[in-house]
Amino acid sequence: MARRAARSTADHGDWAVPYRPAYIADLDPHTADQHVAIPRPPLEAAVQRIVETEGPIHRQVFRRHLDELLYRSGRGTRWEEGTLERLVKEGRLIDTDDFLDIPGRPCAYARRPLPGLTKRPVEHVAPAERQRALLGLLADQPRRLSAEKTVTAAARFFGWSPTAGRAAARLMADLYQLRDTGAITGWPDELEPGAES
């Protein structure tokens, strides 16, 4: 008797993509003076590229990436504190509950962890991305998942335990929000994306 292949994360629709950390080439050494801070234009460009690549990105993850970039470029970890705030104030970036992104860009993807890479904690995955995963899972299996099974599937998608930690509670709160806004129907036993999703 032939065995049925298990469904893998690769079987998800185009909403599911691998999480790839931003790779930013070192700053051009000709633009930086060894004794002063990095000039404003290259620093702003680096900040913008990190957010474009990884947004929505939590401020802590963003800072870690930028500090690594500046360390590799020989500048140390000091960087101009006002750069990020200036870009937000100018409207070139947005900051929503400590997640940075490009203004007006919808969250079209949920990013699953690549094998061997550290999984992002639930606190570092934006609510919009968690909700995108929930909606994607429901679109993949309309009317076949209950609220609890959807939360379990989403936790597994992100590499989290569905029973331990804060992931299940956060995902359930996201699911309630999707229900309350009409983004899902069939509550609580036969969920599917609503007409507006």
Side-chain angles (χ1 to χ4, degrees):
M1 178 178 204
R3 295 184 72 183
R4 187 175 175 188
R7 185 175 172 91
S8 72
T9 56
D11 294 336
H12 294 301
D14 59 1
W15 61 269
V17 298
Y19 177 80
R20 291 188 186 351
Y23 175 78
I24 307 297
D26 289 342
L27 293 171
D28 183 349
H30 300 294
T31 65
D33 186 309
Q34 294 291 336
H35 305 290
V36 297
I38 294 173
R40 183 173 165 177
L43 181 59
E44 286 182 353
V47 167
Q48 189 87 23
R49 282 181 291 177
I50 291 170
V51 175
E52 283 175 0
T53 303
E54 281 203 54
I57 181 172
H58 194 274
R59 275 182 173 263
Q60 288 180 350
V61 178
F62 164 80
R63 185 164 294 225
R64 186 171 58 240
H65 286 335
L66 190 61
D67 287 348
E68 290 169 4
L69 169 67
L70 296 176
Y71 178 78
R72 284 197 320 270
S73 68
R75 305 283 78 81
T77 58
R78 277 189 52 85
W79 58 286
E80 186 184 341
E81 290 290 333
T83 299
L84 181 58
E85 284 67 27
R86 183 172 48 253
L87 293 175
V88 170
K89 186 176 181 180
E90 292 173 359
R92 293 165 58 189
L93 300 176
I94 58 169
D95 182 358
T96 307
D97 298 325
D98 285 335
F99 286 93
L100 304 166
D101 208 349
I102 303 301
R105 178 168 69 175
C107 186
Y109 305 105
R111 299 169 287 183
R112 65 181 183 273
L114 287 170
L117 290 182
T118 303
K119 296 166 187 66
R120 295 177 293 162
V122 67
E123 295 82 8
H124 288 178
V125 178
E129 186 175 354
R130 297 190 312 254
Q131 291 175 13
R132 182 64 194 105
L134 292 163
L135 286 170
L137 290 163
L138 293 174
D140 288 350
Q141 300 183 59
R143 303 181 68 86
R144 295 183 60 204
L145 295 175
S146 66
E148 290 78 17
K149 287 181 181 178
T150 305
V151 166
T152 298
R156 288 190 177 130
F157 173 85
F158 286 111
W160 306 322
S161 167
T163 57
R166 295 179 296 272
R170 297 250 178 137
L171 288 165
M172 186 57 82
D174 293 327
L175 202 57
Y176 278 122
Q177 185 173 3
L178 291 171
R179 180 201 65 182
D180 293 347
T181 60
I184 60 172
T185 61
W187 189 268
D189 296 321
E190 296 181 344
L191 304 184
E192 64 182 336
E196 305 163 2
S197 299

